[in-house]
Amino acid sequence: MDADSYRPTAMSPADTAEHDAVFGALARSVRELLEAQLLTQVDHDVAREVTGQVEALTARLRKQAGHEPLGIEVGPDGRTRAHGNAVIGLRNPVAPPLHVERSPDGKAWSSFRLGPQYEGPPGLVHGGVSALLLDQLCGEAAAAGGAPGMTGRLTLTYRRPTPLGELSAEAWIAEVNGYKTTVRGHLKDAEGRPTVEAEGLFILPRWARELMEKQGEERPDRFE
Amino acid sequence: MDADSYRPTAMSPADTAEHDAVFGALARSVRELLEAQLLTQVDHDVAREVTGQVEALTARLRKQAGHEPLGIEVGPDGRTRAHGNAVIGLRNPVAPPLHVERSPDGKAWSSFRLGPQYEGPPGLVHGGVSALLLDQLCGEAAAAGGAPGMTGRLTLTYRRPTPLGELSAEAWIAEVNGYKTTVRGHLKDAEGRPTVEAEGLFILPRWARELMEKQGEERPDRFE
């Protein structure tokens, strides 16, 4: 990963909007299929038939396809587009996806629903899924506050079980020390009680610092 | 969550094997569709058509379906079946899924491939995905060594970027102290270099301890 990883999209604003609508809807449909096939109790014959039909659709999509992960593009509006991201990616059915709100004072927050595909202990959110979401949210808080970095260390403290369903999370910058940013955050259940607390240390990588020095910028505006 | 969460499956061994083959294949097909739709570059018309077909398959699977997450069943062989689990679940396309090997001296290990749906920074595994996998693996090491628990605290230290692709991970019990088990582990890249280190504290919940006291067992054999 280096500065070239953030390539501008080749599309016009109108084409970008249509592209996102079309492929966002495709990902959403697969996300719903994913949940439906987890809960289904159809007969084995029906399951076998659906499996064959899913395989045919996969073959059709693969006829014309890239081989590289989506990476991060820069959109026509100058904002980053991380459509493959495992937490926020518009095109990624693994992602819930989280819609993250941010403010320039270094805060990030989101409300979302976690379905049965995020289960660990029976009926509860997988402890590692809580870590996944909080890593993303803490990283976004660091970036929102102009002090971005890659995760250097992340500590999760599990205060109580997190039930699947409606949840929320928030994160905020606790301290900025040169190229190191400390962020705290937590996941909250439907009653607003914190269930998992996070503290993350985010470090700006050397290539980004060198790019900044070359460009005379204080902080790269697109690193997150 | 309580002791009743671990319900025995109502199926015979033969029915269980067929059920797993059929629904495992369905989940695998959806996992491949998930990856294909992320990388596809088909025309918008094709993408719209496939979206409609996926929605029809979802509707078919939902005609006969449960509403609860899969939870953890106990199979006819006495082993737990966590088919909905976000890391190891046979029926969960969000899971890679990891096939975890375990030994009774408290070790767990796995080799696996992470595709583009696990991306964070361009071309790299999402830091939170590394946390997700290591949480599961550390929990399995604790259970394998007869000292299981739910995650109480988890600390991840990111030593170097983890590229998408072929990876492995391992975890081992570092210390058992009453109902608290400390586990260490790491994720390794294709060259075998550790990329992310984990230390987890796993705590046996009160309901499990009470169940043990009632049954006169030293440790519940099925908690993980």
Side-chain angles (χ1 to χ4, degrees):
Chain A
M1 184 177 158
D2 55 33
D4 294 333
S5 299
Y6 296 81
R7 58 189 192 285
T9 174
M11 292 183 287
S12 73
D15 287 351
T16 300
E18 196 196 337
H19 175 277
D20 292 358
V22 168
F23 289 100
L26 177 58
R28 196 158 51 243
S29 75
V30 174
R31 199 175 285 122
E32 283 170 14
L33 177 65
L34 188 165
E35 191 167 328
Q37 69 81 42
L38 187 59
L39 299 181
T40 195
Q41 295 168 351
V42 292
D43 293 345
H44 289 186
D45 285 348
V46 175
R48 285 195 192 94
E49 207 183 307
V50 171
T51 301
Q53 289 167 328
V54 170
E55 286 169 352
L57 294 177
T58 300
R60 194 162 177 205
L61 294 176
R62 280 190 179 149
K63 268 189 197 155
Q64 200 179 330
H67 295 283
E68 293 298 312
L70 295 193
I72 300 180
E73 292 180 324
V74 180
D77 56 357
R79 296 178 61 180
T80 52
R81 296 156 52 80
H83 287 182
N85 183 286
V87 177
I88 59 167
L90 179 76
R91 289 189 61 178
N92 190 345
V94 162
L98 257 57
H99 174 75
V100 179
E101 316 244 29
R102 297 157 48 139
S103 61
D105 55 345
K107 293 197 179 102
W109 63 97
S110 182
S111 295
F112 47 90
R113 185 188 77 91
L114 292 186
Q117 65 269 41
Y118 300 107
E119 189 177 36
L124 303 176
V125 176
H126 195 294
V129 168
S130 301
L132 168 62
L133 304 185
L134 284 165
D135 174 55
Q136 178 72 30
L137 211 72
C138 288
E140 298 233 12
M150 285 178 73
T151 319
R153 194 170 59 240
L154 183 69
T155 300
L156 293 314
T157 307
Y158 296 81
R159 295 294 180 196
R160 60 173 76 226
T162 309
L164 292 166
E166 297 296 333
L167 299 164
S168 64
E170 56 197 46
W172 57 92
I173 291 180
E175 193 188 348
V176 179
N177 192 348
Y179 296 106
K180 296 180 178 181
T181 307
T182 302
V183 179
R184 296 209 180 92
H186 51 224
L187 188 62
K188 295 190 291 187
D189 64 18
E191 283 74 46
R193 290 177 300 195
T195 59
V196 184
E197 293 167 6
E199 181 171 307
L201 179 69
F202 293 84
I203 303 168
L204 198 64
R206 189 172 302 151
W207 67 261
R209 287 181 237 167
E210 288 169 359
L211 182 72
M212 283 161 41
E213 282 163 20
K214 222 170 79 183
Q215 300 186 337
E217 287 178 18
E218 259 198 38
R219 288 268 185 180
D221 57 347
R222 283 167 186 165
F223 184 83
E224 62 191 78
Chain B
M1 181 176 160
D2 55 33
D4 295 332
S5 300
Y6 296 82
R7 60 189 188 286
T9 173
M11 292 183 287
S12 74
D15 287 351
T16 300
E18 195 196 336
H19 174 277
D20 291 358
V22 168
F23 289 100
L26 176 59
R28 197 158 51 244
S29 74
V30 173
R31 199 176 284 122
E32 283 169 13
L33 176 66
L34 188 165
E35 191 167 329
Q37 68 81 42
L38 187 60
L39 299 180
T40 195
Q41 295 168 352
V42 293
D43 293 344
H44 289 186
D45 285 348
V46 176
R48 284 195 192 95
E49 207 183 307
V50 171
T51 302
Q53 289 167 329
V54 171
E55 287 169 351
L57 294 177
T58 300
R60 195 161 176 207
L61 294 176
R62 280 191 179 148
K63 267 189 197 154
Q64 200 179 330
H67 295 284
E68 293 298 313
L70 294 194
I72 300 181
E73 291 179 325
V74 180
D77 57 357
R79 295 178 61 180
T80 53
R81 298 156 52 79
H83 287 183
N85 184 285
V87 177
I88 59 166
L90 178 77
R91 289 189 62 178
N92 191 344
V94 161
L98 257 56
H99 175 75
V100 179
E101 315 244 31
R102 299 157 47 140
S103 62
D105 56 343
K107 293 198 179 97
W109 63 97
S110 183
S111 295
F112 47 89
R113 186 188 77 91
L114 293 186
Q117 65 269 39
Y118 301 107
E119 190 177 36
L124 302 177
V125 176
H126 194 296
V129 169
S130 302
L132 167 62
L133 304 186
L134 284 166
D135 175 56
Q136 178 72 32
L137 211 72
C138 288
E140 298 233 11
M150 286 180 74
T151 319
R153 194 169 59 240
L154 183 69
T155 300
L156 293 314
T157 307
Y158 295 81
R159 296 292 180 197
R160 59 175 76 226
T162 308
L164 292 166
E166 296 296 333
L167 299 165
S168 64
E170 57 197 46
W172 56 94
I173 291 179
E175 193 188 347
V176 179
N177 193 349
Y179 295 107
K180 296 180 177 181
T181 306
T182 302
V183 179
R184 296 209 179 91
H186 52 223
L187 188 63
K188 295 190 290 187
D189 63 19
E191 282 75 44
R193 290 178 299 194
T195 59
V196 184
E197 293 166 5
E199 181 172 307
L201 179 69
F202 293 84
I203 303 168
L204 198 64
R206 189 172 302 151
W207 65 261
R209 286 181 239 167
E210 288 170 357
L211 182 71
M212 284 160 41
E213 283 163 22
K214 221 170 80 184
Q215 300 186 336
E217 286 178 19
E218 258 197 40
R219 287 267 185 180
D221 57 346
R222 284 166 183 164
F223 185 83
E224 60 193 78

